[in-house]
């Protein structure tokens, strides 16, 4: 099923899951890439990377998380395993293995897919990745529950989002942030975001790290505020997964849109050296 309401973008397609639909778009020809954004983000967070991959000869599926973007808000559970299940189902529907590009929460989900379904995964690109729970000061989880109440989460995220874009911001940042906030204000989406924030636990991804046997690229913004020491976290993930690490200067949690040139070059170089274009 497709929805061609916006003729300037690829038509929205829907992956049917037991509790609702997950929205995605599909463009290009060649080896399959599946691009998955992080919590509260839209699939348009890959608006710079996706066209470059298509131009380089790849088929690119860009998906929203369940309860986000154009996906349904009828799901009752969210987090790494749930996102992994959706990614695996999408790859199965598209009928061939993929390189998964996962940002933030979606990086942990990609790890789970690679561990559980190695035949589906040709490689992992982990961007600003959460593959284990960060150390948090006492009371942080309680504070998070308060801040992510559906009653005011749109306003809170509007104020918080610029801090995640530490360093350079894309030229269209104001427009993109407005789209994110507008979606959170639509009925059901604030609740879905709140459930995602409260239910997500990266221990399920950390438990599967040793089972991953696929090429891995870790892309981390040097100024990513989600990590006390972004370089140290990236190095640990790279060592644990026997992967490569690229640190992106003047970028926070979203190097794919903050520094699209550097990020795209790193991804294309990784693909050229580690995957078979057939």
């Amino acid at each position: 099923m497709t929805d061609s309401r916006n003729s300037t973008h690829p038509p929205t397609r829907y992956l049917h899951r037991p509790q609702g639909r997950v929205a995605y778009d599909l463009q290009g020809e060649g080896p399959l890439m599946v691009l998955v954004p992080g919590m509260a983000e839209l699939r348009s967070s890959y608006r710079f990377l996706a066209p470059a991959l298509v131009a380089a000869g790849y088929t690119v599926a860009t998906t929203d998380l369940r309860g986000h973007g154009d996906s349904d808000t009828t799901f009752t559970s969210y987090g790494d395993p749930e996102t992994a299940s959706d990614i695996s189902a999408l790859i199965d529907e598209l009928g061939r293995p993929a390189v998964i590009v996962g940002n933030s929460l979606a990086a942990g989900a990609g790890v789970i897919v690679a561990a559980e379904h190695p035949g589906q995964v040709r490689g992992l690109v982990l961007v600003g990745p959460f593959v284990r729970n960060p150390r948090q000061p006492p009371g942080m989880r309680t504070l998070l529950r308060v801040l992510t109440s559906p009653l005011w989460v749109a306003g809170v995220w509007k104020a918080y989002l610029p801090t995640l874009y530490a360093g350079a911001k894309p030229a269209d940042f104001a427009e993109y942030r407005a789209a994110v906030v507008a979606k959170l204000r639509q009925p059901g989406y604030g609740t879905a975001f709140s459930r995602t924030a409260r239910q997500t636990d990266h221990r399920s991804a950390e438990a599967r790290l040793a089972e991953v046997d696929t090429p891995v690229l870790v892309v981390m913004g040097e100024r990513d505020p989600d990590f006390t020491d972004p370089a140290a976290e990236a190095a640990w993930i790279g060592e644990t997964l026997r992967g490569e690490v690229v640190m992106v200067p003047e970028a926070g949690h979203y190097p794919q849109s903050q520094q699209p040139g550097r990020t795209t070059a790193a991804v294309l170089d990784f693909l050229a050296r580690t995957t078979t274009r057939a």
Side-chain angles (χ1 to χ4, degrees):
M1 178 179 180
T2 63
D3 179 353
S4 56
R5 289 172 294 177
N6 191 338
S7 61
T8 64
H9 294 88
T12 300
R13 301 168 181 251
Y14 292 98
L15 172 70
H16 292 266
R17 304 291 288 141
Q19 292 186 333
R21 303 174 305 166
V22 172
Y24 70 99
D25 54 52
L26 188 69
Q27 52 187 321
E29 296 182 0
L32 180 61
M33 307 282 297
V34 174
L35 280 53
V36 191
M39 183 172 61
E41 291 293 291
L42 307 174
R43 66 185 189 273
S44 57
S45 66
Y46 290 109
R47 61 197 178 278
F48 304 113
L49 178 60
L53 292 173
V54 170
Y58 292 91
T59 299
V60 179
T62 312
T63 177
D64 286 318
L65 296 179
R66 56 173 58 192
H68 291 62
D70 293 319
S71 297
D72 291 340
T73 60
T74 49
F75 298 91
T76 57
S77 61
Y78 300 83
D80 292 9
E82 291 82 1
T83 303
S85 177
D86 294 338
I87 295 171
S88 178
L90 178 59
I91 293 173
D92 187 56
E93 177 159 295
L94 296 177
R96 48 196 163 123
V99 173
I100 300 171
V101 181
N103 183 203
S104 195
L105 170 158
V111 164
I112 294 173
V113 178
E116 292 186 347
H117 307 284
Q120 290 189 329
V121 182
R122 298 170 55 243
L124 292 175
V125 179
L126 309 179
V127 184
F130 279 110
V131 300
R132 61 178 176 174
N133 288 329
R135 293 187 178 90
Q136 293 181 331
M140 180 57 69
R141 182 168 292 275
T142 299
L143 178 61
L144 178 64
R145 292 184 66 86
V146 173
L147 292 177
T148 58
S149 167
L151 295 174
W152 49 71
V153 69
V156 169
W157 196 254
K158 180 180 181 180
Y160 181 62
L161 192 57
T163 68
L164 294 175
Y165 280 80
K169 292 180 176 60
D172 64 351
F173 174 72
E175 179 183 356
Y176 177 74
R177 180 172 68 160
V180 170
V181 173
K183 179 57 65 174
L184 286 172
R185 286 179 172 152
Q186 290 183 13
Y189 286 92
T191 298
F193 171 83
S194 178
R195 287 177 174 172
T196 306
R198 297 177 183 194
Q199 294 178 14
T200 295
D201 187 329
H202 303 299
R203 286 179 295 182
S204 55
E206 184 177 7
R208 309 305 296 269
L209 290 171
E211 302 172 53
V212 174
D213 184 21
T214 192
V216 174
L217 172 66
V218 178
V219 180
M220 182 77 81
E222 289 184 352
R223 298 179 61 181
D224 193 327
D226 271 339
F227 303 96
T228 303
D229 188 338
E233 184 68 12
W236 179 83
I237 297 171
E239 180 179 357
T240 302
L241 292 175
R242 303 171 301 283
E244 305 174 27
V245 174
V246 171
M247 298 300 300
V248 182
E250 287 303 305
H253 201 51
Y254 307 107
Q256 74 272 25
S257 58
Q258 293 182 263
Q259 297 289 353
R262 289 176 180 266
T263 302
T264 298
V267 172
L268 289 175
D269 178 66
F270 169 75
L271 294 173
R273 290 183 293 100
T274 61
T275 63
T276 301
R277 294 171 53 78

